[in-house]
Amino acid sequence: CVLLTIILDNASGKKFPLSASCAVRHVWHTSAVMSNQPDIIVLFSGGLDSILAAKVLEQQGLAVRCIHFITPFFGSAKAVPYWRKVYGLDIVSQDVGEEFAQMLRQRPEHGFGKVMNPCVDCKILLLRKARLYMESVGAKGLATGEVLGQRPMSQRRDTLNVILRDAGVSDILLRPLCAHHLLPTPVEESGLVDRSQLLGIWGRGRNEQLALAKKFGITEIPTPGGGCRLTERENARRYWLVLTRLPEPGASDFTLANLGRQFWHTEGDA
């Protein structure tokens, strides 16, 4: 099967066909101004929880660097300069689209959520990549904005432990927003982070996060929601065809599926 996407130019009315090979991928982006030596790396989605996780650690005097991952399904390299300016954070971004596409081709070990979202395998992949980055810059730990009990698939206590184990980050990962509901981590026991200054947020509500945002002077609050296109049924219908009809779909194929109208042609069809 061949996927053909039609892009309509609203100004001229002309249609431009694209094949998967000419879809554009994001590349590696770094901040113009970064900490010389970060102490800890925070996985940064652009959502409120990851912003707060970074701020809580900065409050302890730690040099924090955020890493924003990009795939065809989530992430935006274009948003990074804006986030740096608005939230005052040191942020880099990294494209992991090909690794994500490979995970989908092989089918997620921990399955899909309600739609086509492989939340557990996604977090494992991102933490593995974050660890490699952490080691490359000489940082001493990782942190996420995860909140125990907030998401039904990936933020249950048992699932958080599975992610720790399978990502190979049990010795370096900290979840500062819900730390008081979890066992002390090596990052805290080493003295790098003061556990008493971490938090005990739990569940799906946002009142505590909004209060904390106010305390930090954050006036621009991101809209709640995961921001992943794989959780949306209409998008998933497009991606599933790419995944099941192409022999070895890559990141560019899924990126192309985000655009225009899809027309599938099978060789031999009239």
Side-chain angles (χ1 to χ4, degrees), residues 40 42 48-64 66 87 89 143-145 174-180 192-201 208-209 211-213 215-216 218:
I40 196 161
V42 175
L48 181 58
D49 290 343
S50 57
I51 295 168
L52 294 176
K55 292 295 185 181
V56 165
L57 295 172
E58 279 189 337
Q59 193 178 37
Q60 295 198 26
L62 294 167
V64 174
C66 301
Y87 302 119
L89 294 170
T144 70
L174 178 69
R175 291 162 170 140
L177 298 188
C178 63
H180 291 173
L192 177 65
V193 174
D194 181 358
R195 181 176 174 84
S196 69
Q197 296 185 51
L198 302 180
L199 305 173
I201 300 175
E208 290 181 85
Q209 287 96 320
L212 192 59
K215 173 185 173 183
F216 285 127
I218 299 170

Side-chain angles (χ1 to χ4, degrees), residues 8 10 14 46 60 86 89 97 121-122 126 128 149 162 174 221:
L8 178 63
N10 290 330
K14 294 180 180 179
Q60 295 198 26
V86 170
L89 294 170
D121 292 84
C122 172
L126 300 188
R128 287 173 177 169
V162 167
L174 178 69
I221 308 296

